[in-house]
Amino acid sequence: MKDIYSGKKILVTGASSGIGLEFARILNKYDCTLILAARSRETLEKTKQSLSMNGLAKISCFNVNLSRLEELETFYHSLEEKNLIPDILINNAGKQNYGYFHKLKWQDEYNQIILNCLAPIFLIHKIVPNMLKNNYGKILNVGSVAGTMPGPFFATYAATKAFINSFSQSLSGEINNQNIQCTCLLPGVTNTNNFWDLPVLKEKIGDVSRFTSAYNVATYGLRLLEQNKEYGVCGLSNKTTQFIKRFTPLKLLNFALKKHNYSNLLEPK
Ligand SMILES: NC(=O)c1ccc[n+]([C@@H]2O[C@H](COP(=O)([O-])OP(=O)(O)OC[C@H]3O[C@@H](n4cnc5c(N)ncnc54)[C@H](OP(=O)(O)O)[C@@H]3O)[C@@H](O)[C@H]2O)c1
């Protein structure tokens, strides 16, 4: 990998498990400052301990619920106070709710929108001026292939990912130059247990270990960043789906996806 990381302050949200943890593990090989954010203080501390034993990075942890707007503000102020405004921002934390939209709890849907959409763009909005001042900055937003097509039974999740995919492309049109870059990573289903940790999802997806590893997704994402790419779909099968989808009428796509996404454990309509 190309070393664009040494000497940099790098914020990874959702760094305590899954893809975020893999970003942290890979970046821990460099002499950088890693700023890790997630809700669970305990898991973050464990992550910090295990990373500190095996790497070069200096590690700071912040336990913050990024679904809460007031915590987002406080989090950003703490970064400012501690002189930890990142040079590289990896907006990774995200969650998905699953079920008939009208049956899902409104509060959960709301939290999902804040976490997947507002938190990343809040951080970007705060941090980009600093990047422009320093004439250096990289942003990696974790979108999803789910945001490129309909998502029956995870309609809000798919919409939040469409938001972040689209936002990233537009922002890169505004700010990208040789030193400043906004990149969007689009993984497909990835082998991360927490993300799929609901009985209804487990029944649907089965054994997640057959899917792409979180390590591969994180490595691919960082490579996009290093190569100043604006956008990247991870994995050949996801790239192929993107191609086929272009020629598939919406009705047919929705029919197939409804069948594909349906779980026997779904509540009746
Ligand atoms: N896994 C997939 O199949 C897949 C596919 C496409 C895209 N993605 C995207 O990839 C990203 C990472 O997914 P993943 O599978 O690695 O998820 P994961 O294993 O569930 O990890 C999510 C991370 O985010 C943190 N987090 C969750 N809610 C949070 C909140 N409200 N505030 C702060 N931190 C929070 C979690 O820690 P705490 O619980 O301690 O807060 C954890 O560190 C997400 O944006 C997801 O949409 C995943």
Side-chain angles (χ1 to χ4, degrees), residues 145 157 212:
V145 293
Y157 176 73
T212 319

Side-chain angles (χ1 to χ4, degrees), residues 114-135:
I114 307 279
L115 178 66
N116 295 3
C117 301
L118 289 191
I121 71 164
F122 172 87
L123 291 172
I124 292 169
H125 189 254
K126 290 284 185 199
I127 291 166
V128 162
N130 204 54
M131 292 179 167
L132 292 171
K133 197 174 84 200
N134 298 339
N135 193 27

Side-chain angles (χ1 to χ4, degrees), residues 13 66-69 72 89 91-96 108-126 139-144 147 154-168 171 184:
T13 68
L66 296 167
S67 286
R68 298 208 178 122
L69 293 172
L72 261 172
L89 165 62
N91 275 316
N92 163 77
K95 68 169 284 192
Q96 70 169 332
D108 291 344
E109 292 294 89
Y110 178 86
N111 290 348
Q112 182 184 219
I113 295 170
I114 307 279
L115 178 66
N116 295 3
C117 301
L118 289 191
I121 71 164
F122 172 87
L123 291 172
I124 292 169
H125 189 254
K126 290 284 185 199
I139 299 163
L140 179 61
N141 290 324
V142 181
S144 172
F154 45 85
T156 308
Y157 176 73
T160 63
K161 290 298 171 179
F163 174 90
I164 208 71
N165 294 350
S166 163
F167 177 85
S168 300
L171 188 73
C184 192

Side-chain angles (χ1 to χ4, degrees), residues 14 16-17 19 39-40 64-66 92 157 161 188 190 192 195:
S16 60
S17 74
I19 301 168
R39 280 169 307 179
S40 158
V64 50
N65 187 341
L66 296 167
N92 163 77
Y157 176 73
K161 290 298 171 179
T190 308
T192 62
F195 194 74

Side-chain angles (χ1 to χ4, degrees), residues 4 8 85-88 127-139 174-181 228:
I4 57 165
K8 298 292 189 297
I85 303 294
D87 307 295
I88 299 177
I127 291 166
V128 162
N130 204 54
M131 292 179 167
L132 292 171
K133 197 174 84 200
N134 298 339
N135 193 27
Y136 183 84
K138 302 244 172 211
I139 299 163
E174 278 181 37
I175 63 166
N176 281 16
N177 62 34
Q178 270 188 333
N179 297 326
I180 299 181
Q181 175 76 29
N228 276 346

